[in-house]
Amino acid sequence: MQAKISKINKLVDEGYVLTRTKYGFVDFKNSSGRSVNIFGLFRSPAGFSWIAFFFPFAVCSQIKEWSYFYYCGILLAIASLIQGITGFEAGSAVGIAIGVQYAYMFPYLRKIASDSGVVDSSVGKSIVIGILLSILAAIPSMIIDGVFAFF
């Protein structure tokens, strides 16, 4: 992870600007003010974090990136609505998409958290809190699934 953050630091030293949007996403702009694509196999400046792909709930909890849980809750609720209306099961695709998205965003989010003075939670505490918040975020989706089960 330190190598990924070093790449970001090098670009920031060259005039790039790293910010977090009000919705919790990463906004990375080059020295001329144009947004840089942080997603993509060969185009991402910092690369892909496998830990964040498999355990986004834990790493986001560790750096106190609470917007992850709001985002998951909203997307899972939308997936439940789609499944209830069309019968197409979209939950698995949403889960994979969220994992990929946060795997690319995590190095930037970690740098932003570090620069903001956020103290990381312990790994064990992050896993427990992340699981509990993930369950909490899935409750609206479960309610929607339950409503459609009666129809």
Side-chain angles (χ1 to χ4, degrees), residues 22-142:
K22 66 180 180 177
Y23 299 112
F25 299 108
V26 172
D27 188 19
F28 197 47
K29 294 184 178 182
N30 63 18
S31 56
S32 61
R34 297 173 77 195
S35 289
V36 175
N37 183 10
I38 63 166
F39 304 102
L41 191 56
F42 300 109
R43 289 184 270 174
S44 178
F48 188 88
S49 170
W50 285 102
I51 298 287
F53 175 73
F54 287 112
F55 306 105
F57 62 91
V59 296
C60 287
S61 177
Q62 186 175 30
I63 64 169
K64 299 171 179 72
E65 183 59 45
W66 309 124
S67 64
Y68 164 80
F69 299 100
Y70 297 123
Y71 184 64
C72 284
I74 290 167
L75 288 184
L76 289 173
I78 291 169
S80 289
L81 284 171
I82 290 170
Q83 181 175 350
I85 294 169
T86 67
F88 175 74
E89 196 285 312
S92 298
V94 166
I96 292 170
I98 289 171
V100 169
Q101 183 177 20
Y102 275 86
Y104 280 112
M105 287 192 332
F106 182 64
Y108 304 95
L109 292 171
R110 180 174 273 298
K111 176 171 175 27
I112 291 169
S114 176
D115 290 351
S116 300
V118 173
V119 178
D120 287 357
S121 298
S122 69
V123 174
K125 182 179 177 181
S126 299
I127 292 169
V128 171
I129 290 173
I131 289 171
L132 292 173
L133 289 174
S134 293
I135 292 168
L136 189 63
I139 288 173
S141 173
M142 289 185 252

